[in-house]
Amino acid sequence: MKFRSKAAALLLLALVTLLLVLLTLCTGRAEPPAPLVHSASAPQRHPEQAPARLPGPGAFPGAGQGAQRRRPPRPRPRAGRWGAASLKKLSRRHGEAKNVRAVLPPRLWMHLAVVACGNRLEETLVMLKSAVLFSHRKMQFHIFTEESLKPEFEKQLRQWPDSYAKKFEHRIYPITFSVGNPQEWKKLFKPCAAQRLFLPVILKDVDSLLYVDTDVLFLRPVDDIWKLLRQFNSTQLAAMAPEHEIPKVGWYSRFAQHPFYGSAGVNSGVMLMNLTRIRSAHFKNSMIPIGLAWEDMVYLLYLKYKNAITWGDQDLLNIIFYFNPECLYVFPCQWNYRPDHCMYGSNCREAELEGVSVLHGNRGVFHDDKQPTFKALYEAIRDFPFQDNLFQSMYYPLQLKFLETVHTLCGRIPQVFLKQIEKTMKRAYEKHVIIHGPNHMR
């Protein structure tokens, strides 16, 4: 009897123990989740226990509206509010391609146009080379040329190394004139120079543009002159530099037989244009009481003044802005520095203070010995091997060449020509050598 009582007690004790174990399992505190470990030796979680991860944008092309309501897309900022910092962040967003060309919308690129006919192939290529050597943002080159020069442009530009070729894209256009006699336009001044008057009509998808003559060199990033577009007020739609700093000795003030802008006229070798504003504007004139569209204005002024103009398309631009002075922004001479600014004595104060930003070698001074300082700069950029060090292969040889030009008035002020290019090279050095290491300095 006692044996049965002991067995019953043991059975009861076992049942109570089992009940307590079950109760503990049901009501006990759960263990805290283990921290995420990114080590190769970390234990792998079961797929069912893996934390849910939201899919990225575009992961499910056929996703319905529910996903969009959970995470609405961010609105794209307007192009006018993009600064350098914004562009830098955009190009480095996580998960996006590092190739800025694929990231930046085309409207955020800088647009550079040039018209090259006759024997201007080499000169144009040296100008484009100076643009890519120093600039930062992507550029679109719009090259207007004769059919015979098109294959050579394509060949030469394809030979540039990838480190520079990735900084630009280019399009080549034929020479076309939408109104009037094409042969008359071609002969108006230098071959095909009048083409620039029709750029707002031809480049309908381009908002803003920098036009330069073939005989121009950039001694600092194109980005810097492009920023001047932000300084336009509500009525300004183009920008040029004065033809001369001293009106009483300027060409227009002494010889012009037609109206011209201001007291000394303007030079059109370097011209910033807001093409959108130009296409939508109606310009005052002396022929009819109502405003004319750009293309009509250009053609009617040509018909009226073609026997009085000497410098072709530049004269027509001077006449246009004589009647519409509120439309023009005048930038200082450092952005269009010509032999006139030093051959009779230095008369460009901005260049003396800040250095030459854009060098304009008109009158053929890049190719003769009349202004050896201009020729030295042209040859230094022309002969610079793309992959070489800028200081060793351009700046130091240029300083030595300048020692041979001190007998000229322009050669007596070498600091004017070297100041900006020295700053540009210093920025490139600091960026590529100090930040990224010497192997990046090219």
Side-chain angles (χ1 to χ4, degrees):
M1 190 72 181
K2 290 181 180 179
F3 177 77
R4 290 182 179 178
S5 300
K6 288 182 179 180
L10 290 172
L11 179 62
L12 181 61
L13 180 62
L15 290 173
V16 171
T17 302
L18 178 63
L19 183 62
L20 289 173
V21 169
L22 292 174
L23 186 61
T24 302
L25 291 175
C26 294
T27 62
R29 288 186 297 177
E31 294 184 19
L36 290 177
V37 180
H38 298 285
S39 169
S41 62
Q44 299 294 319
R45 289 190 176 193
H46 191 277
E48 294 179 357
Q49 296 176 334
R53 208 177 270 183
L54 291 176
F60 304 107
Q65 297 296 322
Q68 295 181 5
R69 285 194 295 269
R70 285 196 299 271
R71 191 175 182 179
R74 294 179 180 178
R76 293 180 65 88
R78 291 178 292 180
R81 294 189 177 181
W82 286 92
S86 301
L87 297 178
K88 186 175 181 181
K89 289 179 181 178
L90 177 60
S91 66
R92 294 184 179 178
R93 280 181 184 166
H94 177 69
E96 289 188 308
K98 292 183 180 180
N99 183 357
V100 185
R101 180 185 304 183
V103 175
L104 293 181
R107 66 184 300 178
L108 298 180
W109 289 31
M110 300 183 294
H111 292 262
L112 179 66
V114 64
V115 180
C117 291
N119 61 350
R120 300 289 178 144
L121 174 69
E122 181 195 274
E123 203 172 67
T124 305
L125 289 170
V126 176
M127 180 275 293
L128 297 176
K129 184 179 182 180
S130 72
V132 299
L133 279 178
F134 305 126
S135 298
H136 308 300
R137 284 176 58 184
K138 301 290 183 177
M139 288 178 286
Q140 178 81 47
F141 294 153
H142 303 272
I143 304 170
F144 292 80
T145 190
E146 298 165 306
E147 194 64 30
S148 60
L149 294 180
K150 181 178 178 180
E152 194 62 25
F153 269 114
E154 294 282 6
K155 176 185 175 182
Q156 294 289 337
L157 292 173
R158 281 198 301 267
Q159 292 177 355
W160 290 8
D162 290 341
S163 56
Y164 289 96
K166 69 182 181 180
K167 297 174 68 175
F168 72 93
E169 288 186 355
H170 72 277
R171 291 186 62 186
I172 299 179
Y173 306 79
I175 302 297
T176 55
F177 303 97
S178 55
V179 294
N181 186 332
Q183 296 306 316
E184 287 188 27
W185 285 118
K186 286 183 179 180
K187 298 176 181 178
L188 183 60
F189 182 48
K190 294 179 181 178
C192 310
Q195 179 71 80
R196 87 182 78 181
L197 297 173
F198 297 89
L199 297 182
V201 180
I202 298 171
L203 303 176
K204 296 182 183 297
D205 297 328
V206 178
D207 175 69
S208 296
L209 182 76
L210 173 62
Y211 167 86
V212 294
D213 286 347
T214 61
D215 53 359
V216 158
L217 295 174
F218 294 97
L219 305 186
R220 67 189 288 184
V222 176
D223 313 55
D224 295 338
I225 189 171
W226 190 258
K227 292 175 184 176
L228 296 180
L229 286 164
R230 303 175 188 172
Q231 299 186 20
F232 285 15
N233 63 26
S234 59
T235 64
Q236 291 166 341
L237 44 77
M240 289 183 278
E243 171 65 19
H244 210 285
E245 303 304 304
I246 307 173
K248 64 180 180 180
V249 297
W251 192 93
Y252 282 107
S253 54
R254 291 186 294 164
F255 306 115
Q257 301 297 313
H258 57 78
F260 56 89
Y261 178 87
S263 58
V266 286
N267 185 282
S268 61
V270 180
M271 183 177 180
L272 269 174
M273 292 181 279
N274 185 317
L275 299 185
T276 301
R277 289 187 178 185
I278 291 176
R279 286 188 288 263
S280 61
H282 289 83
F283 296 88
K284 300 188 294 291
N285 58 91
S286 62
M287 296 165 286
I288 59 176
I290 60 173
L292 288 170
W294 178 265
E295 187 179 22
D296 299 330
M297 178 78 161
V298 166
Y299 185 52
L300 290 179
L301 287 176
Y302 166 71
L303 293 177
K304 180 175 181 179
Y305 292 103
K306 64 179 180 179
N307 295 323
I309 56 180
T310 303
W311 307 111
D313 50 303
Q314 177 173 292
D315 290 347
L316 289 176
L317 290 168
N318 267 279
I319 298 169
I320 290 174
F321 292 112
Y322 168 82
F323 292 112
N324 301 270
E326 73 283 357
C327 296
L328 187 65
Y329 175 91
V330 179
F331 50 65
C333 49
Q334 72 179 81
W335 298 104
N336 188 351
Y337 192 90
R338 304 179 301 281
D340 306 70
H341 291 117
C342 58
M343 60 190 297
Y344 306 115
S346 181
N347 58 30
C348 178
R349 180 167 176 76
E350 289 80 4
E352 293 173 5
L353 295 174
E354 300 185 27
V356 175
S357 298
V358 179
L359 190 71
H360 187 178
N362 62 341
R363 303 181 183 176
V365 295
F366 285 156
H367 312 289
D368 59 31
D369 297 320
K370 295 179 181 178
Q371 297 298 333
T373 309
F374 282 73
K375 186 178 181 181
L377 273 161
Y378 176 83
E379 291 179 346
I381 295 176
R382 181 196 65 190
D383 300 336
F384 171 70
F386 269 110
Q387 301 293 2
D388 279 12
N389 182 285
L390 282 168
F391 275 103
Q392 294 175 357
S393 299
M394 182 186 293
Y395 186 71
Y396 295 140
L398 191 56
Q399 286 183 313
L400 294 176
K401 282 189 176 182
F402 274 16
L403 293 177
E404 302 172 3
T405 70
V406 293
H407 63 284
T408 66
L409 285 173
C410 293
R412 292 178 184 177
I413 49 173
Q415 71 281 1
V416 168
F417 296 92
L418 292 173
K419 187 175 293 187
Q420 276 299 331
I421 200 169
E422 182 179 343
K423 287 181 180 179
T424 300
M425 291 184 182
K426 183 179 179 182
R427 287 198 296 266
Y429 177 83
E430 291 173 346
K431 177 180 178 181
H432 295 289
V433 176
I434 297 177
I435 298 177
H436 299 293
N439 292 333
H440 291 262
M441 183 60 181
R442 289 290 184 266

